[in-house]
Structures are given as structure tokens and as C-alpha cells.
Amino acid sequence: MIFNLTAKKLISHDAETSSENLRENFVAFIKGLISFPLDIPGTAYHECLQGRKKAMKMLKNMLQERRMMPRKQNTDFYDYVLVELAKEETLLTEGIALDLMFVLLFASFETTSLALTVALKYLSDYPLVLQKLTEEHEAILKKRENPDSHLTWSEYKSMTFTFQFINETVRLANIVPGIFRKALKDVSYKGYTIPAGWGVMVCPPAVHLNPAKYENPLDFNPSRWEGGEINGVSKHFMAFGGGMRFCVGTDFTKVQMAVFLHCLVTKYRWNPVKGGNIVRTPGLQFPDGFHVQLSEKRSTKT
């Protein structure tokens, strides 16, 4: 659902009418993203490379088709890419544009879809958290002058407990198992020296599950964020990276999650049916999925 929405908005890709499955190529890429680099048929790494190759070919063909049949108005990312590529002194090349599109599609659906799945599981496992989240969103509906109006930015910014819930979800989910950086100069740490130029892998789970910072770190407790900074980044919370390489899609992800949660708890009830088991390979995965049965809530309008 998330991938189809993102692909449609970014590149006007319609999964139902397309002859090729763009999402399957991304799934193959993701499964072998962190794997032993053995490029022979049958390995996860080989499937990863093939998935990226096929996805890039599809994206290139779409770009070429758009070049041949340009639109009168700019409506998606490809339209703006073509405008930029046509400029004389542009720094953008076709290769860079396609790489950027690949990264945008990957980043905008993989982490968000997993985070929403984990969020749904936590809401199913912690009824008191679900009750508090529902109360916050039903209060938003009650304050509206027009009950049929859409969610507004001011309503989104008022979701205090929702932001606490999102932070706690991504803290425990640790969807990104590693963040890579490069030492620009010699760094001394606890008697060890990291030479300049060396690669460094930061492990967010080691930070997010640190009992010195988070009391009972394995417990799911959104209230631990009360009174603290819930929209920033620190050395103790790096679910969205940090420093100069802080994820540019952080706010977009939070908006997606908040809107999804708003619609979920105000319009639906659900019961887990099967799945929900989490494994890390090393990234977060639901090998059996997480199947729930949805039913609409009865309207409370009078």
C-alpha cells in the first residue's frame, strides 16, 4: 500500500496497469541489502543486485517515455527532473536523477511500512496505549466545527501522545540496524584510536536499548517521552540518523504515520489473526506477516 502510493505520487506509476512489477524488484533488493557479498545465482546478494538492476531499467524506461511524451503541467518528480535536465548549467545528470529516484522510492516505503506494522502490533499488544491514542484522536474530531473536514496541520501538530508513541515505536523497532560514517580525522575513544579515513558503523540498537538512558529499555512505554524533546535528534536517539546526514524524510515519515494512525483508531477496530513474529536478519522482518481483521466503527454522528 505504501509503495503503490509513493510510486504513484513520485513517478505516476500505476501497479495495476503496469506490465512489470516494480515493487518485487525493490523487495529483492531489500532482502539482500545486508548479506554476504557472494554474487552467484541463488544467493540473497545476487538477487539484491538483480532487483536493483531491473528496477533501474524500469525507472530509465519510464523517464525516456516521459521525454517522448512530455506533459503540459508538472505533476510529479519526473516532470521536474526533465525541466532540470534541460537547463544548460545543471549539475543534475540522468544517472544521478535515476539513483535519486531509486533511493526516494526505497526510503519512502520500506522503513515506513515496517514502522506502521510494528505500530499496529504494539497497539494490539498494549490496550491501554491504544485507549490513550484513541482518546487523543477522538478529541480532535470533537473539536472540529465541521465534522466532515479533513485533518489540518494544526491538528497534526497537536498530537502530543501520537508523537510519543511514534518515537517509542521506532526506538524499539530499530528498523535501520546500522548507520555508516567515515572518520575525517583520528578519533581517540576509551584508549582506542580510529584512524582518519576508516569506516565506522554506528549501531542504533545499542543506543536505543541502553539502560543507562532508558529505564527498562525493552518495555514499550510511550510515556517515557513526556516532557522531553520528541521532534529532534540526539546521541541517545538516532532512529532517523543524525548530524549532517540526518534523514531528510523524517518529517514526511512522521506525517504518514500520524495520518495513518488517526484514520485507524477513529474509523476502525481490528483483531490480530495470525503472524506478528519479529525476526532480525539483521533488519526488522515479519516472516509470517502480521494479519489483522478490520471492521469499521459505527458512526457517532447525530
Side-chain angles (χ1 to χ4, degrees), residues 151-170:
L151 193 65
T152 66
W153 184 251
S154 60
E155 289 173 343
Y156 165 70
K157 297 299 287 185
S158 71
M159 298 176 184
T160 303
F161 183 73
T162 302
F163 293 136
Q164 295 172 8
F165 174 81
I166 291 174
N167 270 22
E168 185 70 350
T169 297
V170 295

Side-chain angles (χ1 to χ4, degrees), residues 109-174:
F109 103 91
E110 167 64 7
T111 54
T112 305
S113 59
L114 278 173
L116 288 174
T117 306
V118 175
L120 188 58
K121 177 173 172 57
Y122 284 144
L123 289 177
S124 302
D125 293 343
Y126 296 87
L128 293 180
V129 173
L130 172 60
Q131 179 182 342
K132 192 170 182 179
L133 188 71
T134 303
E135 289 173 353
E136 178 171 83
H137 287 275
E138 288 183 342
I140 290 175
L141 299 182
K142 291 178 181 178
K143 291 179 182 178
R144 288 180 180 170
E145 295 183 4
N146 180 5
D148 295 321
S149 63
H150 296 293
L151 193 65
T152 66
W153 184 251
S154 60
E155 289 173 343
Y156 165 70
K157 297 299 287 185
S158 71
M159 298 176 184
T160 303
F161 183 73
T162 302
F163 293 136
Q164 295 172 8
F165 174 81
I166 291 174
N167 270 22
E168 185 70 350
T169 297
V170 295
R171 179 189 74 83
L172 274 178
N174 287 305

Side-chain angles (χ1 to χ4, degrees), residues 28 43 59 71 112 119 123 272:
T43 64
L59 294 174
R71 299 178 179 182
T112 305
L123 289 177

Side-chain angles (χ1 to χ4, degrees), residues 16-82:
E16 294 183 359
T17 60
S18 176
S19 60
E20 298 181 86
N21 195 321
L22 182 61
R23 180 180 173 276
E24 281 188 359
N25 294 325
F26 272 88
V27 170
F29 168 76
I30 292 163
K31 287 183 176 179
L33 188 58
I34 303 179
S35 59
F36 192 80
L38 187 61
D39 185 14
I40 59 175
T43 64
Y45 185 68
H46 178 78
E47 295 301 318
C48 172
L49 295 179
Q50 292 300 308
R52 186 183 189 282
K53 181 179 179 180
K54 293 177 182 178
M56 291 295 288
K57 183 179 179 180
M58 288 184 65
L59 294 174
K60 185 174 182 178
N61 290 339
M62 291 178 196
L63 183 61
Q64 291 175 344
E65 289 175 4
R66 191 68 61 83
R67 268 186 171 143
M68 296 173 63
M69 295 182 291
R71 299 178 179 182
K72 294 181 179 180
Q73 293 183 337
N74 296 335
T75 58
D76 63 14
F77 184 82
Y78 268 162
D79 291 327
Y80 290 100
V81 165
L82 290 175

Side-chain angles (χ1 to χ4, degrees), residues 274-294:
K274 65 177 182 178
N277 296 320
I278 295 176
V279 298
R280 299 184 184 274
T281 61
L284 180 72
Q285 296 290 333
F286 285 84
D288 304 316
F290 184 46
H291 302 259
V292 298
Q293 185 177 46
L294 284 173

